[in-house]
Amino acid sequence: MKFDNPEDIVQLTPQWKGERFPNGRPKVSEDILRRMRKITLEEAWGPLWNHGYTFQFEGDFKIVHPDNIMVGRAVTAVMVPKRPDLHETLLAYGHEQEGRRGFFNQWVIDSLVEDDVVVVDMFDKVHLGTYVGGNLSTAISTRTKRGGAVIWGGIRDNQQIVEIDNINVYYRGSDPTAIADVTMVGMNVPTRIGKAICLPGDIVLGTPAGVIFIPPHLAELTVVQAEKSQVRDIFGFVRLREGVYTTAQIDSPWTKTMWNDFTTWFETDPAAAEYRQLSWEQELEAASKQDDDGRGHDVRL
């Protein structure tokens, strides 16, 4: 086996057709990352759920900066409890064959680049399972600029980490002990975080409610659908305050009349200005095929 193997990463992510890092990890554009920072958890969740990606969210974390949004490209790792023969074999292989230095967690953090997020399955180990402390969190800050870490396990040096304000860290618990009795069996491989799964190159969106992992080939679609949801909500709030529509009408599939009202507002109201790169042809075509009697019962995700 090899750590961070380009052939494996490309094989795992065949639906991504865009740019890749030298190790094969999908490289979603900076523009998509920038736009992703403006969307909510639910706005990202809806498109993924509708496309069958129902195990992408995990919310059972403690958060170093609970009010901050974290967005970045996933660098994944899988740790298991220490078994001496496996541990010695893999540690020696990394040092001797791949030229790596230090312990397994340092290998991962040494590979980070700007806008990366470390995503680590520490099998919920907190005591002797502290993946990062003050030093490694500082290294994450320096390398990623505005990324962070998602750790299904522990951290230490909380008082130091909380002072690092350009990254965020999601973790299960804290403990003063250092990392010990664990072995890394995969780097940039599929990684389970609670009830969610993350692949290398996924876009990690960390919010006050938890973390969602967005497959790279769905990142642009997710952002566009989220932006559409945002501007539709802005319009909906206006019309609800004005008493033009009921909540049932706003939350159900819109009629052709409502869509005509929306597009007129969208093209002229200053509140919609930043969204005018969006196109509504598909929505308008779908609305033209349904009755204009408001009989829709589905709730918009």
Side-chain angles (χ1 to χ4, degrees):
M1 62 174 291
K2 297 179 180 179
F3 292 103
D4 196 22
N5 185 19
E7 292 181 0
D8 292 342
I9 297 171
V10 171
Q11 182 181 8
L12 286 169
T13 56
Q15 295 188 57
W16 173 250
K17 305 303 181 182
E19 184 179 359
R20 293 179 182 266
F21 287 100
N23 68 347
R25 194 164 51 106
K27 186 178 182 181
V28 173
S29 73
E30 295 177 5
D31 178 64
I32 295 299
L33 298 184
R34 176 187 59 81
R35 293 161 64 186
M36 193 77 69
R37 294 186 179 96
K38 299 180 180 180
I39 71 176
T40 69
L41 171 72
E42 286 75 15
E43 290 166 346
W45 169 84
L48 299 184
W49 185 271
N50 286 333
H51 281 78
Y53 288 77
T54 57
F55 297 98
Q56 301 305 122
F57 170 74
E58 177 57 58
D60 198 4
F61 291 105
K62 297 179 180 179
I63 312 171
V64 168
H65 298 297
D67 296 327
N68 293 359
I69 301 299
M70 178 182 71
V71 173
R73 308 178 186 94
V75 173
T76 68
V78 176
M79 311 291 283
V80 299
K82 180 180 178 180
R83 170 175 159 154
D85 57 347
L86 178 66
H87 185 87
E88 293 164 8
T89 296
L90 294 182
L91 196 62
Y93 176 84
H95 288 161
E96 297 169 7
Q97 301 300 318
E98 296 186 350
R100 303 185 187 276
R101 298 181 179 181
F103 197 58
F104 295 111
N105 56 340
Q106 295 167 319
W107 300 359
V108 177
I109 291 170
D110 285 346
S111 76
L112 300 178
V113 298
E114 189 169 340
D115 286 321
D116 278 349
V117 173
V118 183
V119 180
V120 184
D121 179 8
M122 279 286 292
F123 56 95
D124 214 8
K125 179 180 173 71
V126 176
H127 179 67
L128 299 176
T130 53
Y131 194 82
V132 298
N135 288 335
L136 291 185
S137 295
T138 299
I140 292 173
S141 168
T142 301
R143 288 180 170 274
T144 71
K145 309 301 182 187
R146 55 198 153 265
V150 177
I151 302 169
W152 197 250
I155 67 171
R156 66 198 299 250
D157 298 329
N158 294 55
Q159 290 168 277
Q160 295 177 347
I161 296 174
V162 76
E163 297 297 324
I164 307 173
D165 59 8
N166 67 312
I167 64 168
N168 212 344
V169 179
Y170 292 72
Y171 64 103
R172 293 282 288 159
S174 57
D175 197 88
T177 57
I179 189 171
D181 298 332
V182 295
T183 304
M184 183 167 70
V185 294
M187 178 177 172
N188 277 326
V189 296
T191 303
R192 176 185 170 186
I193 302 296
K195 59 182 176 293
I197 183 168
C198 179
L199 266 61
D202 278 4
I203 300 306
V204 185
L205 173 59
T207 76
V211 176
I212 191 164
F213 304 107
I214 303 167
H217 64 280
L218 294 178
E220 184 173 8
L221 177 146
T222 298
V223 165
V224 169
Q225 292 299 316
E227 291 172 338
K228 287 186 173 183
S229 180
Q230 284 181 352
V231 71
R232 287 181 65 180
D233 282 343
I234 294 171
F235 169 80
F237 298 156
V238 170
R239 290 297 187 258
L240 286 170
R241 285 194 293 267
E242 294 172 344
V244 176
Y245 304 120
T246 67
T247 55
Q249 288 174 300
I250 289 295
D251 284 340
S252 297
W254 289 358
T255 64
K256 186 176 180 180
T257 297
M258 293 174 68
W259 274 109
N260 289 337
D261 184 20
F262 169 77
T263 53
T264 300
W265 173 89
F266 181 77
E267 293 168 359
T268 59
D269 197 287
E274 66 176 291
Y275 298 95
R276 292 210 179 105
Q277 79 280 2
L278 298 173
S279 173
W280 302 95
E281 283 84 357
Q282 291 182 342
E283 291 83 356
L284 294 171
E285 181 179 354
S288 69
K289 295 178 181 178
Q290 72 178 43
D291 292 336
D292 199 21
D293 60 5
R295 290 183 296 182
H297 299 290
D298 293 335
V299 175
R300 180 166 61 94
L301 293 180

